[in-house]
């Protein structure tokens, strides 16, 4: 595998790299921003790519936000973007459930372990759900819950899917309820399974961590609808209709973003060093995942 | 591997089996009871073994209860037992931290993800801890928590160990806090890592599930001080001083109880079918773990 090309400071190389692609898929957290911290020159870089006529897609695994929520975040941070350019893992999961899985009614309701971003996208696709941010599930488990979950009286017989995303309000009651649905045969899906979430210049538990208890209990992994799952790439391509050989994935994580682009047979991948993965990880001779090129930060592309 | 011998209803075989052992190690949940449901003839069977002069040890992975809590449960269900006969995974972990790990003060405090059983046993061994049932951690994570955890201002610099057990009050704040300690080099221990907890004739998420998010985030497994970890067997033998060839482990789970006895080179293992594992699992030719013998339920040993 060829070594990744370092583009920072090399204007000619950047020009040549950008000319190879018509479409850029961006990861958001760790690329455009970290939490509420915008990285330098990001709006200007995005604007520059638009002026060059590039199509931009913001592909994010953060399931806590809907596309509309993301649009607000872009606006707040001053990054020019449209709702339709955002493709989140919650949207990806909603599309999968509504258009691909298509379980026959009435047993097609979703039990959600996650935040409102998941709920909004399920609503947008007309998918019925329970759980999620419902206050009835945001409490401690009580002795009678064990009985009522075990005998099924606390369960909705129409639930046919369990969908997990990053849940800042995870608790034992929700995990136990979801586990009962899985034991009764519900389809097990995840918006994404990232182990960590970059925030405040540090790492916090990600969607893969908030769903890991359920995965451990049931003893099998969910089907993930986020990066690097190609179910997400297929959905992105289905929506935006582009030539994969003229598309480039830009991200900070080797095992999600960069692998997502490689597995999807995109024309290129670009790593930024403002997030999770360090350059030592992909410059090592035996690194399993190598981007085509890398920059210190996205703003280094600005010319 | 010889096929497990079925003892139910075979008085001569039971008599012969019991005569081989001086010590019986019992799992509790799934063997003596399920939740608050006592299995038939359990007190009488325990009494019968005592009359035959057997030494009894109740070895349990349930970390939510201390030995004193367990004694109360035995009393309530009418099973004759002494506090000193109980060996729980919380006690096992406390003994490991205090007597084996022995981190130098002051960086020897424990951050607990678990219930009061863990706290009581740490107290009994003089180990300092934070977290656990402290109401300060039983709340939703707030935006400023991300900042204060990331910059360390919300962390106790004396924490050198993270100990996870079954936590009915798990939440994202506790998981994120524990994750920060692990990222800063804290030793990662678990009372046990059972994936499920039998209760109300069904399965619920176990300690391995409540700790799985942290394991996923940090990307490594904790050292488990519960079955089938031999760290627990060594501690049990150290306390009770017996000949392993004259000891028998009785349990309902192949991959914890029975494996625990086999790995510990005990003279025998006996499976009961009142808990997690089904007989089909160990009667299969290629079953990785086979008990020496099995009964439908513990009370079948009563003669």
């Amino acid at each position: 595998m060829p070594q990744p090309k370092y583009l920072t400071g090399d204007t000619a190389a950047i020009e040549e790299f950008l000319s190879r692609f018509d479409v850029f898929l961006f990861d958001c957290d760790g690329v455009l921003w970290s939490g509420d911290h915008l990285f330098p020159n990001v709006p200007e870089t995005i604007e520059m790519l638009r002026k060059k006529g590039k199509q931009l897609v913001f592909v994010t695994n953060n399931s806590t936000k809907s596309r509309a929520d993301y649009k607000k975040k872009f606006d707040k941070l001053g990054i020019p973007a449209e709702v339709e350019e955002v493709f989140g893992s919650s949207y990806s999961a909603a599309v999968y459930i509504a258009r691909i899985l298509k379980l026959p009614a009435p047993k097609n309701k979703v039990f959600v372990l996650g935040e409102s971003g998941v709920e909004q996208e399920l609503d947008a696709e007309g998918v019925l759900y329970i759980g999620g941010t419902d206050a009835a599930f945001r409490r401690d488990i009580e002795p009678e819950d064990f009985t009522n979950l075990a005998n099924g009286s606390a369960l909705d017989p129409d639930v046919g899917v369990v969908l997990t995303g990053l849940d800042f309000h995870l608790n034992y009651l929700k995990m136990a309820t979801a586990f009962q649905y899985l034991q009764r045969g519900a389809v097990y899906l995840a918006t994404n399974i990232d182990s960590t979430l970059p925030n405040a210049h540090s790492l916090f538990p990600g969607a893969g961590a908030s769903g890991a208890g359920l995965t451990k209990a049931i003893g099998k992994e969910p089907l993930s609808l986020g990066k690097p799952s190609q179910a997400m790439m297929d959905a992105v391509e289905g929506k935006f209709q582009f030539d994969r050989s003229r598309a480039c994935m830009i991200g900070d994580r080797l095992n999600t973003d960069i692998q997502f682009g490689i597995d999807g047979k995109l024309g290129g991948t670009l790593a930024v060093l403002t997030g999770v993965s360090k350059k030592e990880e992909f410059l090592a001779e035996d690194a399993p995942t190598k981007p085509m090129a890398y920059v210190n930060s996205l703003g280094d592309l600005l010319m």
Side-chain angles (χ1 to χ4, degrees), chain A residues 29 34-37 168 197-204:
Chain A
D29 292 295
S34 173
D36 285 325
H37 171 73
F168 294 124
L197 174 77
N199 196 352
H201 304 285
S202 185
L203 293 178
F204 288 83

Side-chain angles (χ1 to χ4, degrees), chain A residues 15-73:
Chain A
E15 186 89 50
E16 192 277 327
F17 187 82
L18 297 182
S19 73
R20 293 195 216 175
F21 308 106
D22 304 321
V23 180
F24 288 90
L25 309 185
F26 290 84
D27 176 42
C28 300
D29 292 295
V31 176
L32 308 177
W33 60 67
S34 173
D36 285 325
H37 171 73
L38 179 70
F39 293 129
N41 291 327
V42 164
E44 296 81 358
T45 305
I46 296 294
E47 197 55 50
M48 176 271 290
L49 291 170
R50 287 193 195 286
K51 282 194 183 138
K52 285 178 180 288
K54 310 297 186 186
Q55 182 175 14
L56 309 183
V57 183
F58 301 98
V59 183
T60 169
N61 271 8
N62 187 338
S63 63
T64 63
K65 292 188 170 64
S66 66
R67 288 166 298 157
D69 292 333
Y70 255 90
K71 167 63 174 152
K72 282 181 211 148
K73 175 140 192 176

Side-chain angles (χ1 to χ4, degrees), chain A residues 116-235:
Chain A
S116 66
V118 178
E119 296 174 326
Q120 289 175 53
E121 300 295 15
L122 290 175
D123 277 334
E125 289 288 319
V127 176
L128 298 177
Y129 60 85
I130 59 168
T133 63
D134 184 347
F137 290 94
R138 289 191 174 171
R139 62 174 178 83
D140 292 340
I141 195 164
E142 301 292 340
E144 60 269 27
D145 292 317
F146 287 97
T147 308
N148 296 337
L149 287 169
N151 67 25
S153 64
L155 300 174
D156 183 331
D158 290 346
V159 168
V161 177
V162 167
L163 172 61
T164 66
L166 179 56
D167 189 357
F168 294 124
H169 301 81
L170 78 142
N171 63 33
Y172 191 88
L173 176 65
K174 287 198 264 185
M175 191 162 71
T177 303
F179 184 36
Q180 287 295 334
Y181 286 121
L182 292 182
Q183 289 180 80
R184 285 163 169 75
V187 175
Y188 185 22
L189 305 177
T191 59
N192 63 304
I193 52 171
D194 294 64
S195 57
T196 57
L197 174 77
N199 196 352
H201 304 285
S202 185
L203 293 178
F204 288 83
S210 70
L214 194 54
T215 297
K216 173 84 175 180
I218 198 67
K220 68 170 185 183
E221 295 286 335
L223 172 66
S224 168
L225 282 310
K227 294 172 289 181
S229 167
Q230 288 302 307
M232 191 182 208
M233 184 67 87
D234 293 343

